[in-house]
Structures are given as structure tokens and as C-alpha cells.
PDB file of all heavy atoms in Angstrom:
ATOM      1  N   ARG A   1     109.659 115.583  80.170  1.00 94.00           N
ATOM      2  CA  ARG A   1     108.413 114.978  80.628  1.00 94.00           C
ATOM      3  C   ARG A   1     107.207 115.681  80.018  1.00 94.00           C
ATOM      4  O   ARG A   1     106.235 115.032  79.608  1.00 94.00           O
ATOM      5  CB  ARG A   1     108.346 115.027  82.162  1.00 94.00           C
ATOM      6  CG  ARG A   1     107.038 114.485  82.740  1.00 94.00           C
ATOM      7  CD  ARG A   1     106.762 113.063  82.296  1.00 94.00           C
ATOM      8  NE  ARG A   1     105.475 112.573  82.768  1.00 94.00           N
ATOM      9  CZ  ARG A   1     104.909 111.448  82.372  1.00 94.00           C
ATOM     10  NH1 ARG A   1     105.515 110.685  81.474  1.00 94.00           N
ATOM     11  NH2 ARG A   1     103.747 111.074  82.849  1.00 94.00           N
ATOM     12  N   LEU A   2     107.237 116.996  79.926  1.00 95.00           N
ATOM     13  CA  LEU A   2     106.123 117.727  79.306  1.00 95.00           C
ATOM     14  C   LEU A   2     105.984 117.346  77.839  1.00 95.00           C
ATOM     15  O   LEU A   2     104.861 117.278  77.310  1.00 95.00           O
ATOM     16  CB  LEU A   2     106.339 119.229  79.466  1.00 95.00           C
ATOM     17  CG  LEU A   2     106.304 119.752  80.919  1.00 95.00           C
ATOM     18  CD1 LEU A   2     106.606 121.233  80.951  1.00 95.00           C
ATOM     19  CD2 LEU A   2     104.956 119.459  81.566  1.00 95.00           C
ATOM     20  N   GLU A   3     107.109 117.066  77.190  1.00 94.00           N
ATOM     21  CA  GLU A   3     107.049 116.627  75.793  1.00 94.00           C
ATOM     22  C   GLU A   3     106.368 115.264  75.696  1.00 94.00           C
ATOM     23  O   GLU A   3     105.585 115.013  74.774  1.00 94.00           O
ATOM     24  CB  GLU A   3     108.469 116.556  75.226  1.00 94.00           C
ATOM     25  CG  GLU A   3     108.533 116.439  73.712  1.00 94.00           C
ATOM     26  CD  GLU A   3     107.940 117.652  72.997  1.00 94.00           C
ATOM     27  OE1 GLU A   3     108.060 118.782  73.511  1.00 94.00           O
ATOM     28  OE2 GLU A   3     107.330 117.445  71.929  1.00 94.00           O
ATOM     29  N   GLN A   4     106.629 114.392  76.656  1.00 94.00           N
ATOM     30  CA  GLN A   4     105.942 113.097  76.686  1.00 94.00           C
ATOM     31  C   GLN A   4     104.443 113.276  76.874  1.00 94.00           C
ATOM     32  O   GLN A   4     103.638 112.583  76.229  1.00 94.00           O
ATOM     33  CB  GLN A   4     106.510 112.237  77.814  1.00 94.00           C
ATOM     34  CG  GLN A   4     107.919 111.741  77.584  1.00 94.00           C
ATOM     35  CD  GLN A   4     108.452 110.957  78.767  1.00 94.00           C
ATOM     36  OE1 GLN A   4     107.888 110.997  79.863  1.00 94.00           O
ATOM     37  NE2 GLN A   4     109.549 110.243  78.571  1.00 94.00           N
ATOM     38  N   LEU A   5     104.060 114.202  77.746  1.00 96.00           N
ATOM     39  CA  LEU A   5     102.630 114.433  77.966  1.00 96.00           C
ATOM     40  C   LEU A   5     101.963 114.998  76.727  1.00 96.00           C
ATOM     41  O   LEU A   5     100.806 114.674  76.437  1.00 96.00           O
ATOM     42  CB  LEU A   5     102.427 115.367  79.157  1.00 96.00           C
ATOM     43  CG  LEU A   5     102.821 114.789  80.527  1.00 96.00           C
ATOM     44  CD1 LEU A   5     102.614 115.826  81.617  1.00 96.00           C
ATOM     45  CD2 LEU A   5     102.020 113.523  80.826  1.00 96.00           C
ATOM     46  N   ARG A   6     102.679 115.837  75.987  1.00 95.00           N
ATOM     47  CA  ARG A   6     102.106 116.341  74.726  1.00 95.00           C
ATOM     48  C   ARG A   6     101.898 115.193  73.740  1.00 95.00           C
ATOM     49  O   ARG A   6     100.908 115.171  73.001  1.00 95.00           O
ATOM     50  CB  ARG A   6     103.012 117.423  74.132  1.00 95.00           C
ATOM     51  CG  ARG A   6     102.829 118.788  74.794  1.00 95.00           C
ATOM     52  CD  ARG A   6     103.587 119.874  74.076  1.00 95.00           C
ATOM     53  NE  ARG A   6     104.965 119.938  74.529  1.00 95.00           N
ATOM     54  CZ  ARG A   6     105.376 120.613  75.588  1.00 95.00           C
ATOM     55  NH1 ARG A   6     104.510 121.287  76.330  1.00 95.00           N
ATOM     56  NH2 ARG A   6     106.653 120.625  75.931  1.00 95.00           N
ATOM     57  N   ALA A   7     102.828 114.239  73.754  1.00 94.00           N
ATOM     58  CA  ALA A   7     102.656 113.058  72.898  1.00 94.00           C
ATOM     59  C   ALA A   7     101.468 112.218  73.364  1.00 94.00           C
ATOM     60  O   ALA A   7     100.677 111.730  72.544  1.00 94.00           O
ATOM     61  CB  ALA A   7     103.929 112.216  72.910  1.00 94.00           C
ATOM     62  N   LEU A   8     101.313 112.068  74.677  1.00 96.00           N
ATOM     63  CA  LEU A   8     100.206 111.281  75.217  1.00 96.00           C
ATOM     64  C   LEU A   8      98.863 111.963  75.043  1.00 96.00           C
ATOM     65  O   LEU A   8      97.812 111.335  75.208  1.00 96.00           O
ATOM     66  CB  LEU A   8     100.449 111.004  76.704  1.00 96.00           C
ATOM     67  CG  LEU A   8     101.553 109.994  77.022  1.00 96.00           C
ATOM     68  CD1 LEU A   8     101.910 110.034  78.498  1.00 96.00           C
ATOM     69  CD2 LEU A   8     101.120 108.593  76.617  1.00 96.00           C
ATOM     70  N   ASN A   9      98.889 113.240  74.709  1.00 95.00           N
ATOM     71  CA  ASN A   9      97.634 113.968  74.506  1.00 95.00           C
ATOM     72  C   ASN A   9      96.985 113.636  73.173  1.00 95.00           C
ATOM     73  O   ASN A   9      95.939 114.179  72.829  1.00 95.00           O
ATOM     74  CB  ASN A   9      97.880 115.473  74.600  1.00 95.00           C
ATOM     75  CG  ASN A   9      96.685 116.208  75.202  1.00 95.00           C
ATOM     76  OD1 ASN A   9      95.717 115.592  75.634  1.00 95.00           O
ATOM     77  ND2 ASN A   9      96.747 117.522  75.207  1.00 95.00           N
ATOM     78  N   GLN A  10      97.621 112.747  72.400  1.00 90.00           N
ATOM     79  CA  GLN A  10      97.014 112.267  71.165  1.00 90.00           C
ATOM     80  C   GLN A  10      95.868 111.309  71.498  1.00 90.00           C
ATOM     81  O   GLN A  10      95.872 110.668  72.541  1.00 90.00           O
ATOM     82  CB  GLN A  10      98.060 111.548  70.305  1.00 90.00           C
ATOM     83  CG  GLN A  10      99.271 112.390  69.956  1.00 90.00           C
ATOM     84  CD  GLN A  10      98.919 113.545  69.049  1.00 90.00           C
ATOM     85  OE1 GLN A  10      98.019 113.445  68.224  1.00 90.00           O
ATOM     86  NE2 GLN A  10      99.614 114.663  69.214  1.00 90.00           N
ATOM     87  N   PRO A  11      94.908 111.183  70.605  1.00 86.00           N
ATOM     88  CA  PRO A  11      93.738 110.349  70.930  1.00 86.00           C
ATOM     89  C   PRO A  11      93.991 108.848  70.904  1.00 86.00           C
ATOM     90  O   PRO A  11      93.208 108.090  71.475  1.00 86.00           O
ATOM     91  CB  PRO A  11      92.713 110.755  69.858  1.00 86.00           C
ATOM     92  CG  PRO A  11      93.526 111.311  68.730  1.00 86.00           C
ATOM     93  CD  PRO A  11      94.723 111.937  69.342  1.00 86.00           C
ATOM     94  N   SER A  12      95.044 108.379  70.221  1.00 86.00           N
ATOM     95  CA  SER A  12      95.225 106.927  70.085  1.00 86.00           C
ATOM     96  C   SER A  12      96.671 106.539  70.342  1.00 86.00           C
ATOM     97  O   SER A  12      97.589 107.365  70.279  1.00 86.00           O
ATOM     98  CB  SER A  12      94.822 106.467  68.671  1.00 86.00           C
ATOM     99  OG  SER A  12      95.774 106.914  67.711  1.00 86.00           O
ATOM    100  N   LEU A  13      96.871 105.261  70.607  1.00 90.00           N
ATOM    101  CA  LEU A  13      98.202 104.713  70.826  1.00 90.00           C
ATOM    102  C   LEU A  13      99.072 104.893  69.587  1.00 90.00           C
ATOM    103  O   LEU A  13     100.251 105.267  69.701  1.00 90.00           O
ATOM    104  CB  LEU A  13      98.083 103.227  71.179  1.00 90.00           C
ATOM    105  CG  LEU A  13      99.383 102.413  71.225  1.00 90.00           C
ATOM    106  CD1 LEU A  13     100.323 102.965  72.284  1.00 90.00           C
ATOM    107  CD2 LEU A  13      99.089 100.949  71.482  1.00 90.00           C
ATOM    108  N   GLU A  14      98.506 104.615  68.412  1.00 87.00           N
ATOM    109  CA  GLU A  14      99.300 104.710  67.177  1.00 87.00           C
ATOM    110  C   GLU A  14      99.814 106.128  66.945  1.00 87.00           C
ATOM    111  O   GLU A  14     100.929 106.324  66.445  1.00 87.00           O
ATOM    112  CB  GLU A  14      98.465 104.255  65.980  1.00 87.00           C
ATOM    113  CG  GLU A  14      98.267 102.749  65.875  1.00 87.00           C
ATOM    114  CD  GLU A  14      97.223 102.212  66.844  1.00 87.00           C
ATOM    115  OE1 GLU A  14      96.507 103.029  67.469  1.00 87.00           O
ATOM    116  OE2 GLU A  14      97.117 100.985  66.993  1.00 87.00           O
ATOM    117  N   GLN A  15      99.031 107.138  67.310  1.00 90.00           N
ATOM    118  CA  GLN A  15      99.460 108.519  67.132  1.00 90.00           C
ATOM    119  C   GLN A  15     100.462 108.944  68.208  1.00 90.00           C
ATOM    120  O   GLN A  15     101.355 109.753  67.947  1.00 90.00           O
ATOM    121  CB  GLN A  15      98.244 109.455  67.159  1.00 90.00           C
ATOM    122  CG  GLN A  15      97.327 109.300  65.947  1.00 90.00           C
ATOM    123  CD  GLN A  15      96.029 110.064  66.126  1.00 90.00           C
ATOM    124  OE1 GLN A  15      95.153 109.652  66.875  1.00 90.00           O
ATOM    125  NE2 GLN A  15      95.908 111.196  65.446  1.00 90.00           N
ATOM    126  N   ALA A  16     100.307 108.406  69.399  1.00 92.00           N
ATOM    127  CA  ALA A  16     101.188 108.797  70.505  1.00 92.00           C
ATOM    128  C   ALA A  16     102.541 108.118  70.444  1.00 92.00           C
ATOM    129  O   ALA A  16     103.541 108.668  70.924  1.00 92.00           O
ATOM    130  CB  ALA A  16     100.512 108.484  71.840  1.00 92.00           C
ATOM    131  N   LEU A  17     102.605 106.912  69.858  1.00 92.00           N
ATOM    132  CA  LEU A  17     103.817 106.100  69.951  1.00 92.00           C
ATOM    133  C   LEU A  17     105.052 106.729  69.304  1.00 92.00           C
ATOM    134  O   LEU A  17     106.124 106.750  69.934  1.00 92.00           O
ATOM    135  CB  LEU A  17     103.544 104.709  69.370  1.00 92.00           C
ATOM    136  CG  LEU A  17     104.589 103.639  69.674  1.00 92.00           C
ATOM    137  CD1 LEU A  17     104.834 103.531  71.167  1.00 92.00           C
ATOM    138  CD2 LEU A  17     104.137 102.288  69.109  1.00 92.00           C
ATOM    139  N   PRO A  18     104.997 107.242  68.063  1.00 90.00           N
ATOM    140  CA  PRO A  18     106.227 107.792  67.459  1.00 90.00           C
ATOM    141  C   PRO A  18     106.881 108.896  68.283  1.00 90.00           C
ATOM    142  O   PRO A  18     108.092 108.816  68.542  1.00 90.00           O
ATOM    143  CB  PRO A  18     105.752 108.282  66.080  1.00 90.00           C
ATOM    144  CG  PRO A  18     104.568 107.423  65.766  1.00 90.00           C
ATOM    145  CD  PRO A  18     103.887 107.210  67.077  1.00 90.00           C
ATOM    146  N   PRO A  19     106.146 109.935  68.736  1.00 91.00           N
ATOM    147  CA  PRO A  19     106.834 110.946  69.550  1.00 91.00           C
ATOM    148  C   PRO A  19     107.288 110.411  70.912  1.00 91.00           C
ATOM    149  O   PRO A  19     108.284 110.875  71.460  1.00 91.00           O
ATOM    150  CB  PRO A  19     105.787 112.057  69.714  1.00 91.00           C
ATOM    151  CG  PRO A  19     104.475 111.430  69.417  1.00 91.00           C
ATOM    152  CD  PRO A  19     104.755 110.347  68.436  1.00 91.00           C
ATOM    153  N   LEU A  20     106.587 109.432  71.467  1.00 92.00           N
ATOM    154  CA  LEU A  20     107.034 108.837  72.722  1.00 92.00           C
ATOM    155  C   LEU A  20     108.363 108.107  72.538  1.00 92.00           C
ATOM    156  O   LEU A  20     109.282 108.232  73.352  1.00 92.00           O
ATOM    157  CB  LEU A  20     105.993 107.854  73.261  1.00 92.00           C
ATOM    158  CG  LEU A  20     104.737 108.438  73.903  1.00 92.00           C
ATOM    159  CD1 LEU A  20     103.778 107.319  74.282  1.00 92.00           C
ATOM    160  CD2 LEU A  20     105.085 109.265  75.133  1.00 92.00           C
ATOM    161  N   LEU A  21     108.476 107.348  71.457  1.00 92.00           N
ATOM    162  CA  LEU A  21     109.696 106.591  71.210  1.00 92.00           C
ATOM    163  C   LEU A  21     110.877 107.494  70.899  1.00 92.00           C
ATOM    164  O   LEU A  21     112.022 107.160  71.210  1.00 92.00           O
ATOM    165  CB  LEU A  21     109.481 105.609  70.054  1.00 92.00           C
ATOM    166  CG  LEU A  21     108.589 104.406  70.354  1.00 92.00           C
ATOM    167  CD1 LEU A  21     108.344 103.597  69.101  1.00 92.00           C
ATOM    168  CD2 LEU A  21     109.222 103.527  71.432  1.00 92.00           C
ATOM    169  N   ALA A  22     110.608 108.647  70.289  1.00 88.00           N
ATOM    170  CA  ALA A  22     111.697 109.554  69.924  1.00 88.00           C
ATOM    171  C   ALA A  22     112.477 110.025  71.144  1.00 88.00           C
ATOM    172  O   ALA A  22     113.664 110.347  71.032  1.00 88.00           O
ATOM    173  CB  ALA A  22     111.149 110.742  69.151  1.00 88.00           C
ATOM    174  N   SER A  23     111.827 110.062  72.302  1.00 83.00           N
ATOM    175  CA  SER A  23     112.502 110.541  73.509  1.00 83.00           C
ATOM    176  C   SER A  23     112.720 109.434  74.538  1.00 83.00           C
ATOM    177  O   SER A  23     113.119 109.710  75.660  1.00 83.00           O
ATOM    178  CB  SER A  23     111.677 111.658  74.163  1.00 83.00           C
ATOM    179  OG  SER A  23     110.389 111.180  74.533  1.00 83.00           O
ATOM    180  N   ALA A  24     112.468 108.185  74.157  1.00 89.00           N
ATOM    181  CA  ALA A  24     112.595 107.061  75.095  1.00 89.00           C
ATOM    182  C   ALA A  24     113.979 106.441  74.967  1.00 89.00           C
ATOM    183  O   ALA A  24     114.215 105.598  74.092  1.00 89.00           O
ATOM    184  CB  ALA A  24     111.505 106.024  74.828  1.00 89.00           C
ATOM    185  N   THR A  25     114.885 106.835  75.840  1.00 88.00           N
ATOM    186  CA  THR A  25     116.265 106.351  75.775  1.00 88.00           C
ATOM    187  C   THR A  25     116.334 104.835  75.888  1.00 88.00           C
ATOM    188  O   THR A  25     117.104 104.189  75.173  1.00 88.00           O
ATOM    189  CB  THR A  25     117.099 106.984  76.901  1.00 88.00           C
ATOM    190  OG1 THR A  25     117.068 108.401  76.754  1.00 88.00           O
ATOM    191  CG2 THR A  25     118.539 106.497  76.855  1.00 88.00           C
ATOM    192  N   ASN A  26     115.549 104.262  76.779  1.00 93.00           N
ATOM    193  CA  ASN A  26     115.571 102.817  77.003  1.00 93.00           C
ATOM    194  C   ASN A  26     114.397 102.096  76.350  1.00 93.00           C
ATOM    195  O   ASN A  26     114.043 100.979  76.742  1.00 93.00           O
ATOM    196  CB  ASN A  26     115.590 102.528  78.499  1.00 93.00           C
ATOM    197  CG  ASN A  26     116.938 102.816  79.124  1.00 93.00           C
ATOM    198  OD1 ASN A  26     117.874 102.036  78.970  1.00 93.00           O
ATOM    199  ND2 ASN A  26     117.062 103.955  79.785  1.00 93.00           N
ATOM    200  N   GLY A  27     113.793 102.748  75.348  1.00 94.00           N
ATOM    201  CA  GLY A  27     112.660 102.133  74.699  1.00 94.00           C
ATOM    202  C   GLY A  27     111.437 102.137  75.600  1.00 94.00           C
ATOM    203  O   GLY A  27     111.434 102.743  76.679  1.00 94.00           O
ATOM    204  N   ILE A  28     110.401 101.448  75.173  1.00 95.00           N
ATOM    205  CA  ILE A  28     109.144 101.400  75.921  1.00 95.00           C
ATOM    206  C   ILE A  28     108.713  99.952  76.061  1.00 95.00           C
ATOM    207  O   ILE A  28     108.743  99.177  75.098  1.00 95.00           O
ATOM    208  CB  ILE A  28     108.045 102.221  75.214  1.00 95.00           C
ATOM    209  CG1 ILE A  28     108.448 103.705  75.164  1.00 95.00           C
ATOM    210  CG2 ILE A  28     106.720 102.072  75.925  1.00 95.00           C
ATOM    211  CD1 ILE A  28     107.454 104.572  74.437  1.00 95.00           C
ATOM    212  N   ASP A  29     108.311  99.601  77.268  1.00 94.00           N
ATOM    213  CA  ASP A  29     107.804  98.256  77.544  1.00 94.00           C
ATOM    214  C   ASP A  29     106.408  98.123  76.944  1.00 94.00           C
ATOM    215  O   ASP A  29     105.483  98.830  77.369  1.00 94.00           O
ATOM    216  CB  ASP A  29     107.757  98.050  79.060  1.00 94.00           C
ATOM    217  CG  ASP A  29     107.177  96.694  79.453  1.00 94.00           C
ATOM    218  OD1 ASP A  29     106.906  95.876  78.559  1.00 94.00           O
ATOM    219  OD2 ASP A  29     106.990  96.468  80.660  1.00 94.00           O
ATOM    220  N   PRO A  30     106.208  97.240  75.973  1.00 94.00           N
ATOM    221  CA  PRO A  30     104.878  97.127  75.358  1.00 94.00           C
ATOM    222  C   PRO A  30     103.797  96.664  76.331  1.00 94.00           C
ATOM    223  O   PRO A  30     102.632  97.024  76.173  1.00 94.00           O
ATOM    224  CB  PRO A  30     105.092  96.119  74.221  1.00 94.00           C
ATOM    225  CG  PRO A  30     106.338  95.390  74.572  1.00 94.00           C
ATOM    226  CD  PRO A  30     107.181  96.334  75.347  1.00 94.00           C
ATOM    227  N   GLN A  31     104.180  95.881  77.341  1.00 92.00           N
ATOM    228  CA  GLN A  31     103.169  95.459  78.315  1.00 92.00           C
ATOM    229  C   GLN A  31     102.659  96.659  79.110  1.00 92.00           C
ATOM    230  O   GLN A  31     101.478  96.740  79.438  1.00 92.00           O
ATOM    231  CB  GLN A  31     103.748  94.408  79.255  1.00 92.00           C
ATOM    232  CG  GLN A  31     102.704  93.829  80.199  1.00 92.00           C
ATOM    233  CD  GLN A  31     103.246  92.682  81.043  1.00 92.00           C
ATOM    234  OE1 GLN A  31     104.411  92.345  80.968  1.00 92.00           O
ATOM    235  NE2 GLN A  31     102.385  92.094  81.851  1.00 92.00           N
ATOM    236  N   GLY A  32     103.563  97.605  79.412  1.00 93.00           N
ATOM    237  CA  GLY A  32     103.136  98.821  80.090  1.00 93.00           C
ATOM    238  C   GLY A  32     102.188  99.636  79.236  1.00 93.00           C
ATOM    239  O   GLY A  32     101.198 100.197  79.738  1.00 93.00           O
ATOM    240  N   LEU A  33     102.462  99.707  77.928  1.00 94.00           N
ATOM    241  CA  LEU A  33     101.558 100.420  77.020  1.00 94.00           C
ATOM    242  C   LEU A  33     100.214  99.723  76.930  1.00 94.00           C
ATOM    243  O   LEU A  33      99.165 100.381  76.874  1.00 94.00           O
ATOM    244  CB  LEU A  33     102.184 100.505  75.621  1.00 94.00           C
ATOM    245  CG  LEU A  33     103.304 101.520  75.400  1.00 94.00           C
ATOM    246  CD1 LEU A  33     103.816 101.411  73.966  1.00 94.00           C
ATOM    247  CD2 LEU A  33     102.826 102.937  75.680  1.00 94.00           C
ATOM    248  N   GLU A  34     100.236  98.401  76.898  1.00 94.00           N
ATOM    249  CA  GLU A  34      98.985  97.641  76.823  1.00 94.00           C
ATOM    250  C   GLU A  34      98.097  97.965  78.020  1.00 94.00           C
ATOM    251  O   GLU A  34      96.888  98.160  77.891  1.00 94.00           O
ATOM    252  CB  GLU A  34      99.308  96.144  76.788  1.00 94.00           C
ATOM    253  CG  GLU A  34      98.084  95.255  76.669  1.00 94.00           C
ATOM    254  CD  GLU A  34      98.440  93.784  76.528  1.00 94.00           C
ATOM    255  OE1 GLU A  34      99.641  93.468  76.449  1.00 94.00           O
ATOM    256  OE2 GLU A  34      97.511  92.958  76.504  1.00 94.00           O
ATOM    257  N   ARG A  35      98.702  98.062  79.197  1.00 95.00           N
ATOM    258  CA  ARG A  35      97.946  98.386  80.403  1.00 95.00           C
ATOM    259  C   ARG A  35      97.547  99.859  80.414  1.00 95.00           C
ATOM    260  O   ARG A  35      96.435 100.212  80.793  1.00 95.00           O
ATOM    261  CB  ARG A  35      98.795  98.057  81.636  1.00 95.00           C
ATOM    262  CG  ARG A  35      98.053  98.221  82.952  1.00 95.00           C
ATOM    263  CD  ARG A  35      98.973  98.001  84.134  1.00 95.00           C
ATOM    264  NE  ARG A  35      99.459  96.634  84.199  1.00 95.00           N
ATOM    265  CZ  ARG A  35     100.749  96.291  84.151  1.00 95.00           C
ATOM    266  NH1 ARG A  35     101.675  97.227  84.033  1.00 95.00           N
ATOM    267  NH2 ARG A  35     101.106  95.034  84.229  1.00 95.00           N
ATOM    268  N   GLN A  36      98.481 100.728  79.993  1.00 95.00           N
ATOM    269  CA  GLN A  36      98.228 102.171  80.036  1.00 95.00           C
ATOM    270  C   GLN A  36      97.085 102.577  79.106  1.00 95.00           C
ATOM    271  O   GLN A  36      96.261 103.424  79.456  1.00 95.00           O
ATOM    272  CB  GLN A  36      99.503 102.918  79.642  1.00 95.00           C
ATOM    273  CG  GLN A  36      99.389 104.431  79.682  1.00 95.00           C
ATOM    274  CD  GLN A  36     100.722 105.087  79.356  1.00 95.00           C
ATOM    275  OE1 GLN A  36     101.738 104.417  79.216  1.00 95.00           O
ATOM    276  NE2 GLN A  36     100.729 106.392  79.220  1.00 95.00           N
ATOM    277  N   PHE A  37      97.009 101.951  77.921  1.00 94.00           N
ATOM    278  CA  PHE A  37      95.988 102.309  76.927  1.00 94.00           C
ATOM    279  C   PHE A  37      94.841 101.301  76.889  1.00 94.00           C
ATOM    280  O   PHE A  37      93.877 101.504  76.145  1.00 94.00           O
ATOM    281  CB  PHE A  37      96.610 102.393  75.531  1.00 94.00           C
ATOM    282  CG  PHE A  37      97.402 103.649  75.290  1.00 94.00           C
ATOM    283  CD1 PHE A  37      98.689 103.781  75.766  1.00 94.00           C
ATOM    284  CD2 PHE A  37      96.841 104.710  74.592  1.00 94.00           C
ATOM    285  CE1 PHE A  37      99.426 104.940  75.547  1.00 94.00           C
ATOM    286  CE2 PHE A  37      97.564 105.874  74.365  1.00 94.00           C
ATOM    287  CZ  PHE A  37      98.855 105.984  74.845  1.00 94.00           C
ATOM    288  N   ASN A  38      94.964 100.192  77.641  1.00 94.00           N
ATOM    289  CA  ASN A  38      94.006  99.092  77.556  1.00 94.00           C
ATOM    290  C   ASN A  38      93.793  98.680  76.100  1.00 94.00           C
ATOM    291  O   ASN A  38      92.671  98.622  75.594  1.00 94.00           O
ATOM    292  CB  ASN A  38      92.652  99.449  78.199  1.00 94.00           C
ATOM    293  CG  ASN A  38      91.777  98.204  78.363  1.00 94.00           C
ATOM    294  OD1 ASN A  38      92.253  97.074  78.238  1.00 94.00           O
ATOM    295  ND2 ASN A  38      90.501  98.415  78.632  1.00 94.00           N
ATOM    296  N   ARG A  39      94.902  98.391  75.448  1.00 91.00           N
ATOM    297  CA  ARG A  39      94.896  97.940  74.065  1.00 91.00           C
ATOM    298  C   ARG A  39      95.662  96.627  73.958  1.00 91.00           C
ATOM    299  O   ARG A  39      96.901  96.626  74.016  1.00 91.00           O
ATOM    300  CB  ARG A  39      95.554  98.990  73.155  1.00 91.00           C
ATOM    301  CG  ARG A  39      94.719 100.233  72.904  1.00 91.00           C
ATOM    302  CD  ARG A  39      93.654  99.977  71.847  1.00 91.00           C
ATOM    303  NE  ARG A  39      94.241  99.494  70.614  1.00 91.00           N
ATOM    304  CZ  ARG A  39      94.802 100.265  69.678  1.00 91.00           C
ATOM    305  NH1 ARG A  39      94.851 101.579  69.841  1.00 91.00           N
ATOM    306  NH2 ARG A  39      95.302  99.744  68.578  1.00 91.00           N
ATOM    307  N   PRO A  40      94.967  95.483  73.857  1.00 91.00           N
ATOM    308  CA  PRO A  40      95.666  94.201  73.695  1.00 91.00           C
ATOM    309  C   PRO A  40      96.609  94.247  72.495  1.00 91.00           C
ATOM    310  O   PRO A  40      96.279  94.801  71.445  1.00 91.00           O
ATOM    311  CB  PRO A  40      94.519  93.206  73.465  1.00 91.00           C
ATOM    312  CG  PRO A  40      93.340  93.851  74.137  1.00 91.00           C
ATOM    313  CD  PRO A  40      93.512  95.314  73.918  1.00 91.00           C
ATOM    314  N   ARG A  41      97.786  93.658  72.657  1.00 87.00           N
ATOM    315  CA  ARG A  41      98.833  93.798  71.642  1.00 87.00           C
ATOM    316  C   ARG A  41      98.449  93.222  70.290  1.00 87.00           C
ATOM    317  O   ARG A  41      98.927  93.684  69.249  1.00 87.00           O
ATOM    318  CB  ARG A  41     100.122  93.134  72.136  1.00 87.00           C
ATOM    319  CG  ARG A  41     100.754  93.861  73.307  1.00 87.00           C
ATOM    320  CD  ARG A  41     102.131  93.344  73.585  1.00 87.00           C
ATOM    321  NE  ARG A  41     103.018  93.585  72.470  1.00 87.00           N
ATOM    322  CZ  ARG A  41     104.217  93.036  72.333  1.00 87.00           C
ATOM    323  NH1 ARG A  41     104.661  92.208  73.249  1.00 87.00           N
ATOM    324  NH2 ARG A  41     104.974  93.303  71.287  1.00 87.00           N
ATOM    325  N   GLU A  42      97.595  92.202  70.292  1.00 84.00           N
ATOM    326  CA  GLU A  42      97.234  91.611  68.994  1.00 84.00           C
ATOM    327  C   GLU A  42      96.454  92.583  68.110  1.00 84.00           C
ATOM    328  O   GLU A  42      96.344  92.373  66.902  1.00 84.00           O
ATOM    329  CB  GLU A  42      96.426  90.322  69.195  1.00 84.00           C
ATOM    330  CG  GLU A  42      95.168  90.476  70.038  1.00 84.00           C
ATOM    331  CD  GLU A  42      95.430  90.216  71.510  1.00 84.00           C
ATOM    332  OE1 GLU A  42      96.598  90.270  71.925  1.00 84.00           O
ATOM    333  OE2 GLU A  42      94.443  89.942  72.231  1.00 84.00           O
ATOM    334  N   GLY A  43      95.930  93.663  68.700  1.00 76.00           N
ATOM    335  CA  GLY A  43      95.199  94.646  67.899  1.00 76.00           C
ATOM    336  C   GLY A  43      96.024  95.859  67.510  1.00 76.00           C
ATOM    337  O   GLY A  43      95.505  96.795  66.891  1.00 76.00           O
TER     338      GLY A  43
END
């Protein structure tokens, strides 16, 4: 979990996503990311 927080400490979604995915056994729900970062998926 601390490793995930270090990944989330990046300034942008694009920078945080690769280290987050590396430890995500079941992948990541993009809708959850859209809400978490307030970044519409089309962007």
C-alpha cells in the first residue's frame, strides 16, 4: 500500500499509472481513476 501511495504522489495520472499497474493484481477500474483524478477518459 505504501508503494501505491508513492506512485500516487506523482503530479499526474500519466506518471502515476505505470507504477500503480505494476502492483495491481486485478488491474484498475478506469472509471475509478476518472473519479479519483477528475480526468475524463477522452483526455
Side-chain angles (χ1 to χ4, degrees):
R1 177 57 184 170
L2 295 177
E3 194 63 34
Q4 290 177 346
L5 292 178
R6 280 188 275 275
L8 288 167
N9 213 5
Q10 303 294 328
S12 71
L13 170 61
E14 285 77 10
Q15 291 170 285
L17 194 54
L20 285 176
L21 288 174
S23 60
T25 301
N26 286 283
I28 297 178
D29 177 5
Q31 186 174 3
L33 284 178
E34 182 176 356
R35 186 185 295 120
Q36 182 177 354
F37 283 80
N38 192 14
R39 287 281 304 278
R41 292 191 63 192
E42 56 269 19

